[in-house]
């Protein structure tokens, strides 16, 4: 089973399977520096967990493009968040037709371990950021908890690994981003790079 099939299979029960701490999600969006009117790319949006928190910060003037490779995940997200300024895109971040140097913030919440070629995907996302834009890689659990969860899960994701913060910072530097914030502790995981 591949990633797409796995996430399509669990889409309808995903929100019951996964707990996301509201205070932590608000903290992540705050640390991302999202402002009124920003254009935000939500990569691997899944069932749209981050959409209401991003929307709260960008207001009606901003824009969210929510991309996912699993159409059933997107169907759930669309039903939950029918905001006028949210566009849902079915596709893979590696090759989806997205505007270059367009985004103020790219949010990778609870998705980064699932990318097989991590340096390439960071480079790709760096190219989609405006000058001064920020790439946010975040989880509302610890790195250890995420990696243990995946190791005990389906064959589709059991080798998906979240690297240490300094490894991700290295990938960001290679892609021309400056690491500006990292939090890798027992509570959560956040790495932010700025273009």
């Amino acid at each position: 089973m591949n990633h797409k099939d796995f996430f399509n299979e669990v889409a309808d029960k995903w929100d019951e399977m996964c707990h996301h701490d509201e205070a932590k999600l608000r903290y992540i969006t705050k640390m991302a520096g999202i402002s009124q009117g920003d254009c935000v790319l939500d990569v691997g949006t899944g069932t749209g967990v981050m959409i209401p928190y991003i929307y709260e910060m960008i207001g009606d003037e901003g824009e969210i493009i929510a991309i996912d490779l699993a159409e059933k995940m997107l169907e759930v997200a669309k039903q939950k968040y029918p905001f006028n300024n949210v566009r849902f895109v079915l596709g893979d971040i590696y090759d989806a037709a997205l505007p270059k140097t367009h985004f103020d913030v790219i949010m990778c919440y609870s998705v980064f371990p699932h990318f097989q070629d991590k340096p390439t995907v960071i480079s790709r996302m760096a190219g989609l950021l405006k000058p001064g834009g920020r790439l946010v890689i975040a989880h509302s659990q610890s790195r250890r908890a995420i990696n243990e969860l995946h190791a005990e899960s389906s064959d589709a994701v059991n080798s998906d690994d979240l690297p240490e913060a300094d490894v991700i910072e290295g990938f960001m530097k290679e892609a021309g981003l400056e690491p500006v914030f990292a939090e890798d502790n027992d509570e959560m995981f956040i790495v932010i790079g700025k273009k």
Side-chain angles (χ1 to χ4, degrees):
M1 183 183 288
N2 63 27
H3 282 104
K4 181 177 180 173
D5 293 340
F6 171 76
F7 286 109
N8 273 326
E9 192 175 278
V10 298
D12 289 334
K13 52 189 181 236
W14 189 255
D15 289 339
E16 286 80 50
M17 287 168 55
C18 300
H19 171 71
H20 300 274
D21 184 310
E22 185 177 327
K24 290 181 182 179
L25 299 183
R26 288 186 189 286
Y27 176 72
I28 290 166
T29 52
K30 180 178 173 229
M31 296 314 295
I34 299 169
S35 303
Q36 282 282 119
D38 275 357
C39 185
V40 179
L41 178 64
D42 185 19
V43 176
T45 192
T47 60
V49 171
M50 289 302 285
I51 288 174
Y53 303 96
I54 296 169
Y55 177 78
E56 224 172 67
M57 301 190 82
I58 64 167
D60 292 331
E61 303 304 309
E63 176 189 18
I64 300 170
I65 297 180
I67 184 169
D68 203 283
L69 55 73
E71 59 274 5
K72 291 204 161 106
M73 285 284 199
L74 282 180
E75 285 169 19
V76 174
K78 282 180 192 175
Q79 287 170 1
K80 285 165 57 181
Y81 305 112
F83 301 131
N84 290 332
N85 57 342
V86 179
R87 186 158 61 95
F88 294 94
V89 175
L90 178 64
D92 192 324
I93 188 61
Y94 288 102
D95 55 17
L98 295 164
K100 285 188 169 55
T101 64
H102 181 76
F103 297 98
D104 297 289
V105 175
I106 296 178
M107 178 69 70
C108 289
Y109 173 72
S110 209
V111 68
F112 194 73
H114 306 305
F115 297 127
Q116 302 310 299
D117 185 349
K118 292 169 173 62
T120 299
V121 81
I122 285 180
S123 180
R124 161 82 169 135
M125 291 187 288
L128 301 174
L129 285 170
K130 292 177 182 174
R134 292 166 309 288
L135 171 60
V136 181
I137 294 169
H139 288 265
S140 56
Q141 293 169 279
S142 71
R143 189 171 55 80
R144 192 184 77 227
I146 293 295
N147 289 336
E148 286 173 0
L149 182 72
H150 290 153
E152 296 162 7
S153 190
S154 157
D155 287 350
V157 297
N158 68 5
S159 62
D160 294 356
D161 185 61
L162 181 61
E164 294 175 6
D166 59 352
V167 172
I168 294 174
E169 287 177 330
F171 296 154
M172 286 181 170
K173 287 175 187 168
E174 287 169 22
L177 301 177
E178 177 197 352
V180 292
F181 181 82
E183 188 167 327
D184 182 357
N185 57 36
D186 292 341
E187 287 297 311
M188 62 196 323
F189 182 92
I190 310 173
V191 180
I192 302 175
K194 186 174 181 179
K195 188 168 183 178

